[in-house]
Amino acid sequence: MENLDGKKVGVVDLLGRKPMKKFVTDLLGNVSIKRVAKVEDLLPLLTFKSADLLFMSESDLKDLKKITQLDLHVQPTSVQMALSVAAYMKPEDKETVSACIKKFDENLNDYFDVVEWRLSE
């Protein structure tokens, strides 16, 4: 990927202001980020030149392409993000939740942009 120093990058804020900035700059370098709450809010960033590029998942890109006539060009990356999680309230539900996730098929994992589910302690 070319040097992105000084570029404005549009992202959906999944982590909060400071953690999202650190996450994106660790991946892309010295960039400024423009955070939005929803995927569809990324398009105005390009339209009004508030962002030079967008950083998103492939599934989010597919969704954006359905709702815009902008000629979006894609630069694939090798970045893999581990952002999908399953949460539960009671410790005794851990096994039930794990068993459910193990049954997810390829379509459901694609929806969540998950390549592999891993148990973290």
Side-chain angles (χ1 to χ4, degrees), residues 1-4 28 52-58 61 65 71-79:
M1 192 180 315
E2 74 177 65
N3 185 338
L4 300 176
L28 302 178
D52 300 308
L53 61 124
L54 306 176
F55 187 67
M56 71 187 85
S57 70
E58 286 184 52
L61 176 63
K65 284 186 170 187
D71 184 20
L72 300 174
H73 299 274
V74 178
Q75 173 62 53
T77 69
S78 60
V79 174

Side-chain angles (χ1 to χ4, degrees), residues 7 12 17 24 34 36 55-56 58 73 80 97 99 102 115-119 121:
K7 298 287 186 187
V12 176
R17 186 175 59 84
V24 173
K34 303 294 180 182
V36 296
F55 187 67
M56 71 187 85
E58 286 184 52
H73 299 274
Q80 292 187 349
V97 171
K102 287 177 184 174
V115 175
E116 175 188 8
W117 290 95
R118 282 181 254 154
L119 187 61
E121 300 299 324

Side-chain angles (χ1 to χ4, degrees), residues 8-25:
K8 296 176 284 189
V9 180
V11 297
V12 176
D13 188 353
L14 303 171
L15 305 172
R17 186 175 59 84
K18 288 182 181 179
M20 195 69 195
K21 178 165 180 54
K22 180 178 178 357
F23 177 74
V24 173
T25 56

Side-chain angles (χ1 to χ4, degrees), residues 38-40 42-43 56-69 72 110-113:
K38 303 177 296 202
V39 173
E40 56 269 21
L42 290 168
L43 289 175
M56 71 187 85
S57 70
E58 286 184 52
S59 63
D60 285 345
L61 176 63
K62 287 178 195 172
D63 292 344
L64 274 187
K65 284 186 170 187
K66 290 178 187 174
I67 62 172
T68 187
Q69 293 182 12
L72 300 174
D110 284 348
Y111 175 79
F112 287 114
D113 279 335

Side-chain angles (χ1 to χ4, degrees), residues 32 41 47 56 62 81 93-94 98 113-114 116:
S32 63
D41 294 340
T47 304
M56 71 187 85
K62 287 178 195 172
M81 298 183 278
D93 291 338
K94 179 179 180 177
S98 294
D113 279 335
V114 171
E116 175 188 8

